[in-house]
Amino acid sequence: MTIIKPKGTQDIMPDQIYKWRFLEGKFRVMADNYGFKEIRTPVFEYTELFSRGVGNTTDIVQKEMYTFEDNGGRSITLKPEGTASVARAFIEDKAYADVQPTKYCYTTACYRYEKPQKGRYKEFRQFGLEIFGTKSMLADAEVISFADSFFKDLGVNDLELRINSVGCSKCRDKYREALRDYFRPHYEELCETCKNRFEKNPMRIIDCKSPADKELAKDAPSILDYLCEECSQAFDDLKKNLDALEIDYLVDPTIVRGLDYYTKTAFEFVSSGIGAQGTVCGGGRYDHLIEEVGGPDVPGVGFGLGIERLLLLLEDNGIEIPEEAPMDCLVVVMGDRAKAYGQKLCRDLRKEGFKAELDLMERNMKGQFKYADRLGVKYALVIGDDELDKGVAQIRYMEESKQEEVKFEGIIDALRR
Ligand code: HAM
């Protein structure tokens, strides 16, 4: 039986890779312009990082992690998200002792045991940003502004930015109590998952996708009415900063996010055109995560942007990513001596920066020209044993069906022309 890829994973084949390279390049250039430094962390971490960082009551930790014991008996987990790993690396590197803020960017694969559907996979990839070391709402506006510009630069205009504040532990204690009071008379109507959330994490009930729970949650109290003075002021500052940047947003008190580490700012960029999994980018502030995973008291803010969802969004918006240039040249050879010389010539052309190929199938002339058409090359460099003796090659300009004879030493200049 043939072996196929695991459900919820994807092969990114060569005919699609140009899209990934384009987006990765764009993200890198923009991150450079904003002063974010790239960081790469391991694909797996000790499980404790996520149970402490992401939070034991979250769906991610309770149901979605790929966790296993390694041969040394340690519990290991494939990264379900990027922030906890980046925070761990920041602490381990003692980067907090440097001049702050610390601004990291990353591209990472993430693993979550979720039921696959359009826009939701078990292995997916994220672009991410994190700013550590500042409580200023300028930093929150900066990461939001980055995402906003990234989408706009790509030509995406139909995303909605929704912002909220999930407050601090003081605001949330009061708010959770208010939520329990609100949902208590309807406890029996809640879905099984939300019954479990009722005591431990009632804020997640407002985020439940079940239609009945959604209906119940419609008139639930809003977190914004429970913010303490500091959190309320921070939310006002954020809105002011976004207004100054002329970034449109909608205040949506139902944005609670699926990870426990958030404090104050929470935001999502949502599309209505790509199906149920419409959140393309999500993030917010996490002022205690670093402490939670064993570091000093350093605040942070950032986002994760799902690359597969971004590609769906671009397709839905009819935005085409430019394809990469095809090969420049095929060296077409006839005869054994010419083959050997052709391979050397090909290497020299590549050294000079040309995209050059030699037919490794050793086809006949006709076959090699057919192959040149298939590759879409601009020219074929034809060398037979005769040409070899004379020290020349024929350059065939494929589009113009024009041919010209050049001396070996003049090939590169001719191709450059
Ligand atoms: P998240 O909301 O869990 O946040 O994920 C961020 C983005 O990853 C989502 O908006 C979505 O585009 C994409 N994503 C999530 N799950 C899947 C999936 N199963 N399949 C495909 N795409 C998916 C975080 O991961 C936080 N670490 C973001 C953050 C960074 N907050 C602060 N800093």
Side-chain angles (χ1 to χ4, degrees), residues 60 80-84 106 110 112 114 119-126 128-130 257-259 261-262 268-269 279-286 301-309:
I60 295 184
E81 60 104 48
T83 311
Y106 53 90
C110 300
R112 294 185 194 174
E114 293 194 89
R120 190 167 71 191
Y121 313 99
K122 293 184 173 189
E123 182 193 55
F124 61 96
R125 291 149 195 90
Q126 285 182 350
L129 294 184
E130 314 293 348
R257 314 273 305 124
L259 305 97
Y261 49 61
Y262 291 109
E268 294 184 348
F269 284 84
T279 307
V280 184
C281 173
R285 171 164 285 278
Y286 44 87
V301 59
F303 72 62
L305 192 161
I307 309 179
E308 287 81 0
R309 288 190 196 171

mmCIF file of all heavy atoms in Angstrom, residues 60 80-84 106 110 112 114 119-126 128-130 257-259 261-262 268-269 279-286 301-309, ligand 1:
data_model
loop_
_atom_site.group_PDB
_atom_site.id
_atom_site.type_symbol
_atom_site.label_atom_id
_atom_site.label_comp_id
_atom_site.label_asym_id
_atom_site.label_seq_id
_atom_site.Cartn_x
_atom_site.Cartn_y
_atom_site.Cartn_z
ATOM 1 N N ILE A 60 -5.929 24.124 23.793
ATOM 2 C CA ILE A 60 -4.648 23.725 23.213
ATOM 3 C C ILE A 60 -3.948 22.729 24.133
ATOM 4 O O ILE A 60 -3.546 21.647 23.712
ATOM 5 C CB ILE A 60 -3.737 24.966 22.962
ATOM 6 C CG1 ILE A 60 -4.375 25.871 21.904
ATOM 7 C CG2 ILE A 60 -2.325 24.556 22.552
ATOM 8 C CD1 ILE A 60 -3.542 27.074 21.505
ATOM 9 N N PRO A 80 2.863 24.053 19.837
ATOM 10 C CA PRO A 80 1.526 24.361 19.312
ATOM 11 C C PRO A 80 1.407 25.828 18.881
ATOM 12 O O PRO A 80 0.429 26.229 18.258
ATOM 13 C CB PRO A 80 0.600 24.072 20.492
ATOM 14 C CG PRO A 80 1.458 24.285 21.702
ATOM 15 C CD PRO A 80 2.878 23.980 21.316
ATOM 16 N N GLU A 81 2.388 26.639 19.266
ATOM 17 C CA GLU A 81 2.395 28.075 18.952
ATOM 18 C C GLU A 81 3.807 28.591 19.201
ATOM 19 O O GLU A 81 4.636 27.865 19.759
ATOM 20 C CB GLU A 81 1.369 28.818 19.819
ATOM 21 C CG GLU A 81 1.604 28.702 21.316
ATOM 22 C CD GLU A 81 2.199 29.952 21.910
ATOM 23 O OE1 GLU A 81 1.682 31.034 21.614
ATOM 24 O OE2 GLU A 81 3.187 29.852 22.672
ATOM 25 N N GLY A 82 4.079 29.824 18.814
ATOM 26 C CA GLY A 82 5.460 30.292 18.867
ATOM 27 C C GLY A 82 5.850 31.101 20.094
ATOM 28 O O GLY A 82 7.027 31.123 20.478
ATOM 29 N N THR A 83 4.870 31.769 20.727
ATOM 30 C CA THR A 83 5.212 32.763 21.753
ATOM 31 C C THR A 83 5.952 32.185 22.963
ATOM 32 O O THR A 83 6.949 32.755 23.416
ATOM 33 C CB THR A 83 3.926 33.481 22.225
ATOM 34 O OG1 THR A 83 3.215 33.894 21.065
ATOM 35 C CG2 THR A 83 4.237 34.685 23.078
ATOM 36 N N ALA A 84 5.461 31.039 23.464
ATOM 37 C CA ALA A 84 6.068 30.472 24.674
ATOM 38 C C ALA A 84 7.537 30.118 24.413
ATOM 39 O O ALA A 84 8.402 30.363 25.265
ATOM 40 C CB ALA A 84 5.285 29.245 25.139
ATOM 41 N N TYR A 106 9.634 35.777 13.727
ATOM 42 C CA TYR A 106 9.908 34.366 13.418
ATOM 43 C C TYR A 106 8.899 33.821 12.427
ATOM 44 O O TYR A 106 7.804 34.359 12.266
ATOM 45 C CB TYR A 106 9.885 33.511 14.694
ATOM 46 C CG TYR A 106 8.622 33.655 15.521
ATOM 47 C CD1 TYR A 106 7.513 32.831 15.317
ATOM 48 C CD2 TYR A 106 8.523 34.645 16.502
ATOM 49 C CE1 TYR A 106 6.362 32.968 16.083
ATOM 50 C CE2 TYR A 106 7.369 34.792 17.272
ATOM 51 C CZ TYR A 106 6.291 33.942 17.059
ATOM 52 O OH TYR A 106 5.154 34.094 17.796
ATOM 53 N N CYS A 110 3.680 25.005 13.450
ATOM 54 C CA CYS A 110 3.016 24.730 14.722
ATOM 55 C C CYS A 110 2.202 23.443 14.554
ATOM 56 O O CYS A 110 1.787 23.113 13.437
ATOM 57 C CB CYS A 110 2.035 25.850 15.093
ATOM 58 S SG CYS A 110 2.789 27.461 15.263
ATOM 59 N N ARG A 112 -1.101 21.246 16.104
ATOM 60 C CA ARG A 112 -2.253 21.159 17.011
ATOM 61 C C ARG A 112 -3.142 20.014 16.548
ATOM 62 O O ARG A 112 -3.456 19.928 15.353
ATOM 63 C CB ARG A 112 -3.074 22.468 17.006
ATOM 64 C CG ARG A 112 -2.316 23.633 17.579
ATOM 65 C CD ARG A 112 -3.163 24.886 17.693
ATOM 66 N NE ARG A 112 -2.293 26.042 17.930
ATOM 67 C CZ ARG A 112 -2.706 27.298 17.963
ATOM 68 N NH1 ARG A 112 -3.992 27.572 17.801
ATOM 69 N NH2 ARG A 112 -1.854 28.281 18.165
ATOM 70 N N GLU A 114 -6.166 19.190 15.912
ATOM 71 C CA GLU A 114 -7.507 19.738 15.695
ATOM 72 C C GLU A 114 -8.133 18.986 14.545
ATOM 73 O O GLU A 114 -7.430 18.395 13.723
ATOM 74 C CB GLU A 114 -7.415 21.218 15.310
ATOM 75 C CG GLU A 114 -6.913 22.098 16.421
ATOM 76 C CD GLU A 114 -7.154 23.578 16.137
ATOM 77 O OE1 GLU A 114 -8.222 24.061 16.511
ATOM 78 O OE2 GLU A 114 -6.272 24.219 15.540
ATOM 79 N N GLY A 119 -8.662 25.776 6.140
ATOM 80 C CA GLY A 119 -8.032 26.787 6.989
ATOM 81 C C GLY A 119 -7.635 26.280 8.361
ATOM 82 O O GLY A 119 -7.168 27.049 9.197
ATOM 83 N N ARG A 120 -7.877 24.986 8.628
ATOM 84 C CA ARG A 120 -7.466 24.452 9.935
ATOM 85 C C ARG A 120 -6.724 23.131 9.722
ATOM 86 O O ARG A 120 -7.303 22.194 9.170
ATOM 87 C CB ARG A 120 -8.668 24.240 10.841
ATOM 88 C CG ARG A 120 -8.253 23.925 12.267
ATOM 89 C CD ARG A 120 -9.397 24.027 13.231
ATOM 90 N NE ARG A 120 -10.336 22.941 13.030
ATOM 91 C CZ ARG A 120 -11.540 22.887 13.598
ATOM 92 N NH1 ARG A 120 -11.959 23.868 14.361
ATOM 93 N NH2 ARG A 120 -12.330 21.864 13.383
ATOM 94 N N TYR A 121 -5.490 23.099 10.138
ATOM 95 C CA TYR A 121 -4.639 21.938 9.876
ATOM 96 C C TYR A 121 -3.961 21.504 11.163
ATOM 97 O O TYR A 121 -3.926 22.258 12.134
ATOM 98 C CB TYR A 121 -3.588 22.299 8.804
ATOM 99 C CG TYR A 121 -4.206 23.011 7.631
ATOM 100 C CD1 TYR A 121 -4.143 24.398 7.524
ATOM 101 C CD2 TYR A 121 -4.931 22.301 6.672
ATOM 102 C CE1 TYR A 121 -4.766 25.069 6.479
ATOM 103 C CE2 TYR A 121 -5.556 22.960 5.625
ATOM 104 C CZ TYR A 121 -5.470 24.346 5.534
ATOM 105 O OH TYR A 121 -6.099 25.001 4.514
ATOM 106 N N LYS A 122 -3.431 20.281 11.116
ATOM 107 C CA LYS A 122 -2.703 19.785 12.294
ATOM 108 C C LYS A 122 -1.278 20.321 12.295
ATOM 109 O O LYS A 122 -0.692 20.535 13.332
ATOM 110 C CB LYS A 122 -2.711 18.264 12.286
ATOM 111 C CG LYS A 122 -4.117 17.738 12.499
ATOM 112 C CD LYS A 122 -4.150 16.243 12.587
ATOM 113 C CE LYS A 122 -5.559 15.832 12.976
ATOM 114 N NZ LYS A 122 -5.684 14.447 13.299
ATOM 115 N N GLU A 123 -0.742 20.495 11.098
ATOM 116 C CA GLU A 123 0.541 21.199 10.991
ATOM 117 C C GLU A 123 0.277 22.457 10.173
ATOM 118 O O GLU A 123 -0.282 22.354 9.070
ATOM 119 C CB GLU A 123 1.604 20.349 10.289
ATOM 120 C CG GLU A 123 2.942 21.078 10.235
ATOM 121 C CD GLU A 123 3.967 20.434 9.283
ATOM 122 O OE1 GLU A 123 3.638 20.243 8.096
ATOM 123 O OE2 GLU A 123 5.065 20.139 9.722
ATOM 124 N N PHE A 124 0.626 23.602 10.704
ATOM 125 C CA PHE A 124 0.447 24.852 9.962
ATOM 126 C C PHE A 124 1.620 25.766 10.282
ATOM 127 O O PHE A 124 2.441 25.446 11.141
ATOM 128 C CB PHE A 124 -0.893 25.520 10.324
ATOM 129 C CG PHE A 124 -1.027 25.893 11.771
ATOM 130 C CD1 PHE A 124 -0.734 27.182 12.203
ATOM 131 C CD2 PHE A 124 -1.423 24.968 12.719
ATOM 132 C CE1 PHE A 124 -0.837 27.525 13.551
ATOM 133 C CE2 PHE A 124 -1.519 25.295 14.068
ATOM 134 C CZ PHE A 124 -1.233 26.581 14.473
ATOM 135 N N ARG A 125 1.667 26.881 9.572
ATOM 136 C CA ARG A 125 2.818 27.763 9.753
ATOM 137 C C ARG A 125 2.369 29.179 10.102
ATOM 138 O O ARG A 125 1.317 29.617 9.632
ATOM 139 C CB ARG A 125 3.668 27.777 8.485
ATOM 140 C CG ARG A 125 4.361 26.439 8.275
ATOM 141 C CD ARG A 125 4.575 26.098 6.831
ATOM 142 N NE ARG A 125 4.917 24.687 6.654
ATOM 143 C CZ ARG A 125 4.031 23.699 6.467
ATOM 144 N NH1 ARG A 125 2.727 23.939 6.405
ATOM 145 N NH2 ARG A 125 4.424 22.451 6.333
ATOM 146 N N GLN A 126 3.181 29.821 10.894
ATOM 147 C CA GLN A 126 2.847 31.198 11.319
ATOM 148 C C GLN A 126 4.024 32.128 11.082
ATOM 149 O O GLN A 126 5.172 31.730 11.267
ATOM 150 C CB GLN A 126 2.631 31.247 12.836
ATOM 151 C CG GLN A 126 1.374 30.694 13.375
ATOM 152 C CD GLN A 126 1.313 30.866 14.909
ATOM 153 O OE1 GLN A 126 2.286 31.235 15.554
ATOM 154 N NE2 GLN A 126 0.150 30.594 15.473
ATOM 155 N N GLY A 128 5.352 35.363 13.052
ATOM 156 C CA GLY A 128 5.079 35.909 14.375
ATOM 157 C C GLY A 128 5.996 37.055 14.720
ATOM 158 O O GLY A 128 7.103 37.189 14.182
ATOM 159 N N LEU A 129 5.504 37.918 15.596
ATOM 160 C CA LEU A 129 6.297 39.036 16.141
ATOM 161 C C LEU A 129 6.093 39.058 17.640
ATOM 162 O O LEU A 129 4.989 38.767 18.109
ATOM 163 C CB LEU A 129 5.748 40.389 15.651
ATOM 164 C CG LEU A 129 5.795 40.820 14.212
ATOM 165 C CD1 LEU A 129 5.260 42.260 14.133
ATOM 166 C CD2 LEU A 129 7.199 40.746 13.654
ATOM 167 N N GLU A 130 7.142 39.386 18.375
ATOM 168 C CA GLU A 130 6.989 39.604 19.814
ATOM 169 C C GLU A 130 7.838 40.808 20.205
ATOM 170 O O GLU A 130 8.973 40.937 19.739
ATOM 171 C CB GLU A 130 7.459 38.399 20.644
ATOM 172 C CG GLU A 130 7.003 37.017 20.186
ATOM 173 C CD GLU A 130 5.507 36.742 20.310
ATOM 174 O OE1 GLU A 130 4.790 37.536 20.968
ATOM 175 O OE2 GLU A 130 5.045 35.745 19.718
ATOM 176 N N ARG A 257 -9.651 35.193 22.927
ATOM 177 C CA ARG A 257 -8.455 34.442 22.535
ATOM 178 C C ARG A 257 -8.369 33.107 23.276
ATOM 179 O O ARG A 257 -8.870 32.946 24.376
ATOM 180 C CB ARG A 257 -7.161 35.239 22.759
ATOM 181 C CG ARG A 257 -7.212 36.662 22.262
ATOM 182 C CD ARG A 257 -6.826 36.830 20.817
ATOM 183 N NE ARG A 257 -5.540 36.285 20.510
ATOM 184 C CZ ARG A 257 -5.338 35.365 19.549
ATOM 185 N NH1 ARG A 257 -6.332 34.934 18.826
ATOM 186 N NH2 ARG A 257 -4.135 34.921 19.305
ATOM 187 N N GLY A 258 -7.733 32.143 22.609
ATOM 188 C CA GLY A 258 -7.726 30.780 23.136
ATOM 189 C C GLY A 258 -6.528 30.435 23.999
ATOM 190 O O GLY A 258 -6.324 29.275 24.315
ATOM 191 N N LEU A 259 -5.728 31.425 24.362
ATOM 192 C CA LEU A 259 -4.539 31.132 25.172
ATOM 193 C C LEU A 259 -4.629 31.942 26.455
ATOM 194 O O LEU A 259 -5.098 33.081 26.446
ATOM 195 C CB LEU A 259 -3.257 31.501 24.392
ATOM 196 C CG LEU A 259 -3.121 30.844 23.012
ATOM 197 C CD1 LEU A 259 -3.579 31.773 21.903
ATOM 198 C CD2 LEU A 259 -1.698 30.398 22.754
ATOM 199 N N TYR A 261 -2.408 33.325 28.387
ATOM 200 C CA TYR A 261 -1.421 34.306 28.837
ATOM 201 C C TYR A 261 -1.798 35.765 28.597
ATOM 202 O O TYR A 261 -1.106 36.663 29.040
ATOM 203 C CB TYR A 261 -0.030 34.016 28.258
ATOM 204 C CG TYR A 261 0.100 33.756 26.764
ATOM 205 C CD1 TYR A 261 -0.251 34.705 25.834
ATOM 206 C CD2 TYR A 261 0.637 32.545 26.310
ATOM 207 C CE1 TYR A 261 -0.077 34.459 24.476
ATOM 208 C CE2 TYR A 261 0.810 32.290 24.949
ATOM 209 C CZ TYR A 261 0.451 33.258 24.034
ATOM 210 O OH TYR A 261 0.619 33.026 22.699
ATOM 211 N N TYR A 262 -2.889 36.024 27.892
ATOM 212 C CA TYR A 262 -3.183 37.419 27.530
ATOM 213 C C TYR A 262 -3.611 38.278 28.713
ATOM 214 O O TYR A 262 -4.308 37.824 29.626
ATOM 215 C CB TYR A 262 -4.251 37.481 26.443
ATOM 216 C CG TYR A 262 -3.726 36.958 25.111
ATOM 217 C CD1 TYR A 262 -4.164 35.756 24.595
ATOM 218 C CD2 TYR A 262 -2.756 37.664 24.411
ATOM 219 C CE1 TYR A 262 -3.664 35.259 23.393
ATOM 220 C CE2 TYR A 262 -2.245 37.180 23.221
ATOM 221 C CZ TYR A 262 -2.702 35.985 22.715
ATOM 222 O OH TYR A 262 -2.190 35.505 21.544
ATOM 223 N N GLU A 268 -7.736 40.560 16.763
ATOM 224 C CA GLU A 268 -7.770 39.588 15.660
ATOM 225 C C GLU A 268 -8.057 40.307 14.359
ATOM 226 O O GLU A 268 -8.834 41.271 14.338
ATOM 227 C CB GLU A 268 -8.863 38.530 15.912
ATOM 228 C CG GLU A 268 -8.561 37.660 17.104
ATOM 229 C CD GLU A 268 -9.547 36.534 17.374
ATOM 230 O OE1 GLU A 268 -10.636 36.526 16.770
ATOM 231 O OE2 GLU A 268 -9.244 35.684 18.207
ATOM 232 N N PHE A 269 -7.437 39.841 13.291
ATOM 233 C CA PHE A 269 -7.793 40.292 11.943
ATOM 234 C C PHE A 269 -8.642 39.169 11.337
ATOM 235 O O PHE A 269 -8.165 38.039 11.193
ATOM 236 C CB PHE A 269 -6.552 40.508 11.079
ATOM 237 C CG PHE A 269 -5.810 41.771 11.401
ATOM 238 C CD1 PHE A 269 -4.878 41.819 12.433
ATOM 239 C CD2 PHE A 269 -6.043 42.937 10.668
ATOM 240 C CE1 PHE A 269 -4.187 42.986 12.728
ATOM 241 C CE2 PHE A 269 -5.350 44.119 10.950
ATOM 242 C CZ PHE A 269 -4.423 44.135 11.985
ATOM 243 N N THR A 279 -10.069 33.771 11.141
ATOM 244 C CA THR A 279 -9.071 34.599 11.842
ATOM 245 C C THR A 279 -7.698 34.349 11.224
ATOM 246 O O THR A 279 -7.120 33.279 11.373
ATOM 247 C CB THR A 279 -9.045 34.278 13.349
ATOM 248 O OG1 THR A 279 -10.375 34.401 13.832
ATOM 249 C CG2 THR A 279 -8.145 35.241 14.096
ATOM 250 N N VAL A 280 -7.203 35.356 10.543
ATOM 251 C CA VAL A 280 -5.943 35.184 9.823
ATOM 252 C C VAL A 280 -4.770 35.550 10.737
ATOM 253 O O VAL A 280 -3.679 35.010 10.617
ATOM 254 C CB VAL A 280 -5.934 36.045 8.537
ATOM 255 C CG1 VAL A 280 -4.675 35.794 7.735
ATOM 256 C CG2 VAL A 280 -7.150 35.721 7.690
ATOM 257 N N CYS A 281 -5.026 36.472 11.651
ATOM 258 C CA CYS A 281 -3.947 36.919 12.533
ATOM 259 C C CYS A 281 -4.546 37.199 13.905
ATOM 260 O O CYS A 281 -5.608 37.813 14.003
ATOM 261 C CB CYS A 281 -3.324 38.194 11.951
ATOM 262 S SG CYS A 281 -2.106 38.987 13.002
ATOM 263 N N GLY A 282 -3.859 36.738 14.943
ATOM 264 C CA GLY A 282 -4.368 36.993 16.291
ATOM 265 C C GLY A 282 -3.210 37.281 17.222
ATOM 266 O O GLY A 282 -2.105 36.756 17.053
ATOM 267 N N GLY A 283 -3.467 38.143 18.187
ATOM 268 C CA GLY A 283 -2.376 38.434 19.117
ATOM 269 C C GLY A 283 -2.852 39.261 20.281
ATOM 270 O O GLY A 283 -4.059 39.427 20.509
ATOM 271 N N GLY A 284 -1.890 39.796 21.007
ATOM 272 C CA GLY A 284 -2.222 40.626 22.142
ATOM 273 C C GLY A 284 -1.064 40.724 23.107
ATOM 274 O O GLY A 284 0.056 40.314 22.806
ATOM 275 N N ARG A 285 -1.394 41.283 24.270
ATOM 276 C CA ARG A 285 -0.372 41.561 25.286
ATOM 277 C C ARG A 285 -0.376 40.448 26.333
ATOM 278 O O ARG A 285 -1.417 39.844 26.609
ATOM 279 C CB ARG A 285 -0.717 42.921 25.918
ATOM 280 C CG ARG A 285 0.089 43.310 27.137
ATOM 281 C CD ARG A 285 -0.057 44.790 27.433
ATOM 282 N NE ARG A 285 0.730 45.562 26.478
ATOM 283 C CZ ARG A 285 2.062 45.786 26.598
ATOM 284 N NH1 ARG A 285 2.739 45.307 27.638
ATOM 285 N NH2 ARG A 285 2.701 46.486 25.693
ATOM 286 N N TYR A 286 0.789 40.155 26.854
ATOM 287 C CA TYR A 286 0.906 39.104 27.888
ATOM 288 C C TYR A 286 1.946 39.577 28.905
ATOM 289 O O TYR A 286 3.131 39.358 28.749
ATOM 290 C CB TYR A 286 1.292 37.758 27.258
ATOM 291 C CG TYR A 286 2.380 37.864 26.218
ATOM 292 C CD1 TYR A 286 3.724 37.823 26.596
ATOM 293 C CD2 TYR A 286 2.076 38.076 24.878
ATOM 294 C CE1 TYR A 286 4.720 37.961 25.658
ATOM 295 C CE2 TYR A 286 3.062 38.227 23.930
ATOM 296 C CZ TYR A 286 4.391 38.174 24.329
ATOM 297 O OH TYR A 286 5.378 38.332 23.392
ATOM 298 N N VAL A 301 4.192 41.722 24.040
ATOM 299 C CA VAL A 301 3.018 41.841 23.154
ATOM 300 C C VAL A 301 3.439 41.331 21.781
ATOM 301 O O VAL A 301 4.608 41.465 21.385
ATOM 302 C CB VAL A 301 2.507 43.308 23.088
ATOM 303 C CG1 VAL A 301 3.557 44.287 22.596
ATOM 304 C CG2 VAL A 301 1.258 43.432 22.212
ATOM 305 N N GLY A 302 2.485 40.708 21.052
ATOM 306 C CA GLY A 302 2.862 40.195 19.730
ATOM 307 C C GLY A 302 1.675 39.636 18.975
ATOM 308 O O GLY A 302 0.521 39.784 19.399
ATOM 309 N N PHE A 303 1.955 38.995 17.855
ATOM 310 C CA PHE A 303 0.885 38.323 17.102
ATOM 311 C C PHE A 303 1.408 37.093 16.389
ATOM 312 O O PHE A 303 2.622 36.912 16.213
ATOM 313 C CB PHE A 303 0.212 39.275 16.096
ATOM 314 C CG PHE A 303 1.044 39.653 14.883
ATOM 315 C CD1 PHE A 303 1.477 38.703 13.954
ATOM 316 C CD2 PHE A 303 1.364 40.986 14.644
ATOM 317 C CE1 PHE A 303 2.210 39.069 12.830
ATOM 318 C CE2 PHE A 303 2.109 41.361 13.528
ATOM 319 C CZ PHE A 303 2.531 40.392 12.617
ATOM 320 N N GLY A 304 0.466 36.234 15.990
ATOM 321 C CA GLY A 304 0.759 35.093 15.116
ATOM 322 C C GLY A 304 -0.147 35.213 13.906
ATOM 323 O O GLY A 304 -1.340 35.520 14.037
ATOM 324 N N LEU A 305 0.426 35.014 12.726
ATOM 325 C CA LEU A 305 -0.334 35.192 11.484
ATOM 326 C C LEU A 305 -0.259 33.874 10.701
ATOM 327 O O LEU A 305 0.844 33.443 10.348
ATOM 328 C CB LEU A 305 0.304 36.356 10.711
ATOM 329 C CG LEU A 305 -0.397 36.974 9.534
ATOM 330 C CD1 LEU A 305 0.186 38.351 9.255
ATOM 331 C CD2 LEU A 305 -0.350 36.151 8.276
ATOM 332 N N GLY A 306 -1.389 33.219 10.513
ATOM 333 C CA GLY A 306 -1.409 31.898 9.868
ATOM 334 C C GLY A 306 -1.140 32.012 8.367
ATOM 335 O O GLY A 306 -1.895 32.668 7.651
ATOM 336 N N ILE A 307 -0.058 31.369 7.899
ATOM 337 C CA ILE A 307 0.327 31.562 6.494
ATOM 338 C C ILE A 307 -0.632 30.824 5.552
ATOM 339 O O ILE A 307 -0.994 31.343 4.496
ATOM 340 C CB ILE A 307 1.792 31.138 6.245
ATOM 341 C CG1 ILE A 307 2.710 31.804 7.284
ATOM 342 C CG2 ILE A 307 2.243 31.530 4.835
ATOM 343 C CD1 ILE A 307 4.174 31.442 7.156
ATOM 344 N N GLU A 308 -1.104 29.630 5.945
ATOM 345 C CA GLU A 308 -2.053 28.916 5.081
ATOM 346 C C GLU A 308 -3.338 29.739 4.934
ATOM 347 O O GLU A 308 -3.904 29.834 3.845
ATOM 348 C CB GLU A 308 -2.398 27.537 5.663
ATOM 349 C CG GLU A 308 -1.287 26.501 5.557
ATOM 350 C CD GLU A 308 -0.230 26.628 6.647
ATOM 351 O OE1 GLU A 308 -0.352 27.520 7.507
ATOM 352 O OE2 GLU A 308 0.732 25.822 6.628
ATOM 353 N N ARG A 309 -3.779 30.319 6.044
ATOM 354 C CA ARG A 309 -5.006 31.154 5.961
ATOM 355 C C ARG A 309 -4.762 32.404 5.132
ATOM 356 O O ARG A 309 -5.652 32.865 4.416
ATOM 357 C CB ARG A 309 -5.488 31.532 7.366
ATOM 358 C CG ARG A 309 -6.076 30.345 8.062
ATOM 359 C CD ARG A 309 -6.787 30.732 9.342
ATOM 360 N NE ARG A 309 -6.983 29.521 10.129
ATOM 361 C CZ ARG A 309 -7.410 29.481 11.363
ATOM 362 N NH1 ARG A 309 -7.710 30.605 11.987
ATOM 363 N NH2 ARG A 309 -7.556 28.329 11.995
HETATM 364 P P1 HAM B 1 -3.412 31.802 17.710
HETATM 365 O O1 HAM B 1 -4.609 32.681 17.610
HETATM 366 O O2 HAM B 1 -3.591 30.505 18.394
HETATM 367 O O3 HAM B 1 -2.304 32.665 18.445
HETATM 368 O O4 HAM B 1 -2.806 31.530 16.288
HETATM 369 C C1 HAM B 1 -2.429 32.600 15.446
HETATM 370 C C2 HAM B 1 -2.870 32.324 14.025
HETATM 371 O O5 HAM B 1 -2.400 31.036 13.594
HETATM 372 C C3 HAM B 1 -4.369 32.229 13.851
HETATM 373 O O6 HAM B 1 -4.928 33.514 13.714
HETATM 374 C C4 HAM B 1 -4.473 31.438 12.552
HETATM 375 O O7 HAM B 1 -4.274 32.274 11.440
HETATM 376 C C5 HAM B 1 -3.313 30.483 12.662
HETATM 377 N N1 HAM B 1 -3.782 29.148 13.129
HETATM 378 C C6 HAM B 1 -4.070 28.775 14.380
HETATM 379 N N2 HAM B 1 -4.452 27.476 14.418
HETATM 380 C C7 HAM B 1 -4.405 27.027 13.143
HETATM 381 C C8 HAM B 1 -4.663 25.759 12.513
HETATM 382 N N3 HAM B 1 -5.014 24.687 13.219
HETATM 383 N N4 HAM B 1 -4.501 25.671 11.167
HETATM 384 C C9 HAM B 1 -4.103 26.749 10.439
HETATM 385 N N5 HAM B 1 -3.836 27.953 10.982
HETATM 386 C C10 HAM B 1 -3.980 28.100 12.315
HETATM 387 C C11 HAM B 1 -1.048 32.236 18.707
HETATM 388 O O8 HAM B 1 -0.562 31.229 18.259
HETATM 389 C C12 HAM B 1 -0.254 33.207 19.535
HETATM 390 N N6 HAM B 1 1.068 32.654 19.760
HETATM 391 C C13 HAM B 1 -0.173 34.552 18.825
HETATM 392 C C14 HAM B 1 0.586 35.566 19.600
HETATM 393 C C15 HAM B 1 1.865 35.940 19.427
HETATM 394 N N7 HAM B 1 0.109 36.271 20.612
HETATM 395 C C16 HAM B 1 1.049 37.063 21.067
HETATM 396 N N8 HAM B 1 2.131 36.861 20.359
#
